[in-house]
Amino acid sequence: EPESLVFIQQPVSEPDDTFNRQIADAFRGHGRFAAPGNALRRQGQGRPFNPRTADELAGFFRAASYTLTDVRQGEAVPPIKIERVPEDLGSKAGTERKALFITAVLPAVLEVNQRVLADRKQLVHLRDKLAWSTAGLSSIERLWLEDLAARYDTSPDSIDELLRRVDIVPPSMAIAQGGVESGWGTSLAARAGNSLFGQIQSTGRHTVSVPWQPGRGMPQPFASIGESTEAYVANLNTHP
């Protein structure tokens, strides 16, 4: 039989217990999220939504029965995917604007963190296998490890360094930085290019159409909030 990469399995019907501790702590004032994450409802795939207006975004959250109040009380975050912030988000008063921004970005941060945690668990499994197995890694496992190391800009032979890098970003930190960098979703870079976290693209070509060119201090645009969040987490984890 061909070699295969055996991943550590997690029950998909219930969130991992480690995903149940963040939000209650995070939303008490400006409290910090406890690692590694809040529960993200795992049934089905995330539902993408591209809101045209802030009112449409708020209505979508109501239809999904998704509120920050419920999250503070321990409810799981639904697997929704908000593609972009609406153009008129700045028309909302400060408190409402911030709440809509947080509610939109939180599922993206948790989803990225879940993927990072899956890689981390597999990495721990391979590290432990190397410690107790005389056979070493299979060729498929080695390829997976090399790909992971390339994504995190380090050597596949430095598993301890990889473990330092393959880790979640506290959602409170991500949301706070995204809010400050994007004016809580109201900046031109956020509205036109999903640039939420202050990442810069000085050279090359944009992968999406935006009304600015790469250059010194110019924001890097993204196709969606999810893509922007993934790039942000990768940027932090490759520069620990």
Side-chain angles (χ1 to χ4, degrees):
E1 294 184 359
E3 294 175 322
S4 61
L5 182 62
V6 179
F7 282 88
I8 307 304
Q9 296 297 314
Q10 293 280 345
V12 297
S13 59
E14 295 293 336
D16 188 308
D17 286 345
T18 58
F19 281 87
N20 291 325
R21 299 194 297 267
Q22 275 190 7
I23 301 298
D25 291 335
F27 287 105
R28 293 189 184 104
H30 295 286
R32 301 180 67 177
F33 284 81
N38 185 53
L40 185 71
R41 297 179 202 161
R42 295 185 181 181
Q43 63 273 21
Q45 297 294 317
R47 294 172 287 164
F49 181 63
N50 195 342
R52 292 168 295 181
T53 67
D55 286 339
E56 191 173 73
L57 179 62
F60 178 80
F61 291 147
R62 285 194 298 271
S65 299
Y66 169 37
T67 70
L68 294 183
T69 298
D70 289 341
V71 171
R72 292 187 189 102
Q73 294 173 355
E75 289 292 324
V77 177
I80 61 177
K81 294 184 179 182
I82 305 302
E83 295 291 281
R84 63 189 314 112
V85 294
E87 281 283 340
D88 67 343
L89 188 58
S91 67
K92 296 299 181 181
T95 300
E96 184 179 4
R97 179 171 68 249
K98 290 179 180 180
L100 284 171
F101 179 85
I102 293 169
T103 310
V105 175
L106 180 58
V109 176
L110 295 179
E111 182 182 1
V112 172
N113 275 347
Q114 283 192 354
R115 292 200 296 269
V116 171
L117 277 177
D119 284 340
R120 183 177 176 85
K121 288 178 181 178
Q122 181 63 19
L123 180 60
V124 169
H125 171 67
L126 296 187
R127 180 202 62 186
D128 294 345
K129 181 179 179 181
L130 285 170
W132 56 256
S133 173
T134 58
L137 303 182
S138 71
S139 59
I140 297 297
E141 289 170 333
R142 184 68 188 179
L143 285 172
W144 182 88
L145 183 61
E146 290 174 354
D147 176 74
L148 185 72
R151 286 193 280 126
Y152 283 86
D153 196 25
T154 191
S155 168
D157 297 318
S158 302
I159 290 186
D160 287 342
E161 176 61 21
L162 257 177
L163 282 169
R164 192 167 76 93
R165 295 178 180 225
V166 184
D167 206 352
I168 63 105
V169 170
S172 58
M173 183 179 79
I175 289 171
Q177 183 165 357
V180 170
E181 295 285 355
S182 72
W184 299 98
T186 63
S187 69
L188 174 63
R191 291 181 287 111
N194 292 304
S195 184
L196 304 180
F197 300 101
Q199 292 181 258
I200 301 301
Q201 184 176 357
S202 300
T203 60
R205 300 178 62 183
H206 292 322
T207 58
V208 295
S209 178
V210 289
W212 66 84
Q213 297 297 320
R216 184 183 178 90
M218 298 305 292
Q220 180 179 1
F222 299 94
S224 67
I225 288 176
E227 184 180 293
S228 177
T229 304
E230 187 167 18
Y232 165 72
V233 172
N235 185 45
L236 291 183
N237 283 342
T238 53
H239 299 85

